[in-house]
């Protein structure tokens, strides 16, 4: 059997279990459709429902749907409008078509007419803001117990999913290298962004999220995505957080660079070493929260070694200083979505881990299991808003902080496939190594 054949069998089994557990006879997964801007007729870029592309690698066919009833072949309603205004997305012949009943429709109403009375016992998953979908007489719309069951189990990736994630990382690392070269050539943020897209022949709407392309102090803005059109007089540092997609699966990579030798170059190397040191701790059974705390202690050691904060790593962490320099979570699940869901689910019944007061932005609290894929992305930044809480501290070397401020900060991010006994795969570093 092929990896996709195994994948769709796993998806069916997971939907079988979810439907049985939640009392639904069938499910209709709607691909979604574009929304127009307020008081306008221009649509925003279309993003497919992740649970639709869970079934098949079709990401540019809005108004399509998958209908699944346990024990029967999935039915794919592929929408192809009779429309002389717009080009239709080309759907090449691929293996997934061998595993479904494919019905091409040119009117969304034909989906409901084909299903008839089955709609009354069907759970609908997807956006339903537009007619006729909003009026379909389904049993339930986006029932949370069904979503929780599905989201909990899709944290364990199939071989086919990992293959797609691997290739998405190979695309993204190629683009990252092009962006790095543009930085060293003196490009502006916008020019670097264009170099990134050109390297993999992507439109801006095809990357999985707004790329962070930050020069100098912009590296301290965690989700910076403004892009200056002119290069700064002096480009001291470059932080890029950007990804790619392949068959609907996402890569999410961050790297930090500098043109200068000395303090900031050494800091990049230290954060990178702290991240790689943490990677050795990843194995099934470990709590991801435990990894997060361990990374904070390693960042605390960096803060001590570089003279930012006085004290031992434990003292720096216990006093809360690391949260000012490293405020975000260590990472998140990744797959069909950049921030893949289910990171707080305790089980498939929807019970959740409470958000931690000390680390409220951590997106993943589950124990680590073989087959999970998640990011590891420590950082160290000068965020003045957060340092205000420690303005009177004598432990912080404010002169050293001021020295870092013009560089913004450092972040390093890789995606990890959890293997047995710590035999993990680093999708990101392997992809960079493959480029040479």
């Amino acid at each position: 059997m092929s990896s996709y054949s195994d994948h769709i069998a796993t998806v069916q089994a997971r939907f079988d279990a979810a439907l049985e557990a939640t009392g639904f006879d069938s499910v209709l997964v709607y691909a979604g459709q574009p929304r127009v801007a307020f008081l306008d007729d221009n649509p925003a870029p279309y993003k497919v429902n992740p649970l639709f592309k869970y079934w098949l690698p079709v990401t540019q066919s809005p108004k399509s749907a998958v209908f699944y009833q346990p024990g029967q072949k999935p039915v794919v309603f592929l929408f192809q409008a009779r429309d002389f205004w717009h080009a239709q997305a080309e759907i090449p012949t691929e293996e997934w078509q061998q595993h479904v009943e494919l019905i091409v429709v040119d009117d969304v109403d034909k989906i409901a007419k084909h299903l008839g009375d089955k709609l009354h016992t069907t759970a609908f998953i997807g956006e339903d803001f537009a007619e006729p979908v909003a009026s379909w007489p389904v049993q339930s719309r986006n029932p949370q117990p069904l979503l929780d069951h599905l989201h909990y189990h899709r944290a364990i990736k199939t071989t086919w999913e990992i293959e797609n994630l691997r290739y998405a990382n190979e695309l993204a690392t190629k683009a990252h290298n092009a962006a790095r070269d543009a930085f060293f050539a003196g490009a502006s943020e916008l020019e670097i962004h264009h170099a990134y897209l050109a390297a993999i022949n992507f439109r801006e709407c095809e990357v999985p999220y707004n790329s962070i392309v930050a020069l100098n102090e912009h590296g301290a803005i965690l989700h910076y995505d403004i892009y200056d059109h002119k290069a700064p007089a002096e480009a001291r540092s470059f932080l890029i957080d950007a990804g790619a997609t392949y068959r609907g699966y996402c890569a999410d990579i961050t790297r930090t660079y500098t043109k200068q030798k000395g303090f900031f170059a050494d800091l990049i190397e230290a954060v990178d070493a702290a991240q790689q040191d943490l990677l050795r701790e990843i194995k099934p059974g470990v709590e991801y929260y435990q990894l997060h705390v361990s990374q904070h202690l390693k960042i605390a050691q960096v803060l001590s070694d570089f003279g930012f904060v006085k004290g031992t790593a434990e003292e720096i962490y216990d006093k809360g200083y690391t949260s000012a320099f490293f405020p975000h979570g260590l990472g998140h699940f990744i797959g069909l979505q950049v921030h893949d869901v289910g990171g707080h689910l305790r089980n498939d019944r929807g019970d959740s881990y409470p958000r931690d007061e000390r680390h409220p932005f951590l997106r993943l609290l589950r124990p680590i299991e073989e087959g999970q894929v998640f990011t590891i992305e420590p950082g160290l930044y000068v965020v003045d808003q957060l340092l205000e809480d420690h303005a009177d501290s004598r432990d912080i070397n404010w002169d050293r902080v001021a020295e870092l401020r013009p560089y913004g900060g450092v972040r390093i991010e890789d995606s990890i496939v959890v293997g047995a006994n710590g035999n993990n795969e680093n999708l990101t570093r392997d992809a960079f190594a493959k480029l040479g």
Side-chain angles (χ1 to χ4, degrees), residues 231-286:
E234 179 187 14
R236 294 175 293 272
S237 60
F238 172 42
L239 187 154
I240 176 168
D241 184 336
T245 55
Y246 181 67
R247 289 180 171 171
Y249 287 83
C250 304
D252 180 4
I253 300 171
T254 309
R255 288 295 184 268
T256 310
Y257 304 97
T258 183
K259 296 180 179 180
Q260 304 171 355
K261 294 182 180 180
F263 157 67
F264 190 66
D266 293 341
L267 185 63
I268 294 172
E269 186 176 341
V271 173
D272 185 72
Q275 191 248 26
Q276 291 191 68
D277 191 29
L278 185 84
L279 297 179
R280 302 184 185 97
E281 300 176 16
I282 299 172
K283 59 182 178 180
V286 173

Side-chain angles (χ1 to χ4, degrees), residues 2 4-5 7-8 52 55-59 61 64-66 73-78 90-104 160 247:
S2 70
Y4 176 75
S5 178
H7 168 77
I8 196 168
F52 179 86
W55 284 91
L56 53 144
V58 176
T59 61
S61 189
S64 298
V66 175
K73 206 170 189 179
V75 180
V76 174
F77 296 96
L78 193 66
E90 293 186 9
I91 308 296
T93 301
E94 291 187 299
E95 182 187 356
W96 65 266
Q97 294 162 6
Q98 303 171 19
H99 297 272
V100 303
E101 179 186 350
L102 182 60
I103 300 175
V104 177
W160 185 76
R247 289 180 171 171

Side-chain angles (χ1 to χ4, degrees), residues 29 81 85 129 177 238 254 282 285 291 315 323 376 404 417:
V29 184
W85 291 102
F129 62 88
N177 281 352
F238 172 42
T254 309
I282 299 172
L291 285 183
E315 289 170 342
S323 293
I376 298 291
L404 175 59
V417 181

Side-chain angles (χ1 to χ4, degrees), residues 11-27 68-71 121 123 139 143 145-147 149-150 153 348-349:
V11 171
Q12 287 182 240
R14 289 175 178 174
F15 269 81
D16 288 347
L19 290 168
E20 182 177 5
T22 54
F24 295 103
D25 290 348
S26 55
V27 64
Y68 178 66
Q69 191 169 7
T121 55
Q139 182 177 352
L146 180 62
L147 292 174
H149 202 291
L150 294 169
H153 289 285
D348 61 15
R349 298 180 300 280

Side-chain angles (χ1 to χ4, degrees), residues 376-411:
I376 298 291
E377 49 181 305
L380 195 162
Y381 323 85
V382 176
V383 183
D384 288 317
Q385 179 181 342
L386 300 177
L387 289 171
E388 289 173 359
D389 292 338
H390 305 285
D392 297 329
S393 173
R394 295 184 179 181
D395 294 329
I396 296 177
N397 182 340
W398 295 103
D399 290 338
R400 195 61 159 158
V401 171
E403 188 177 355
L404 175 59
R405 186 176 285 107
Y407 296 90
V410 180
R411 182 162 69 252

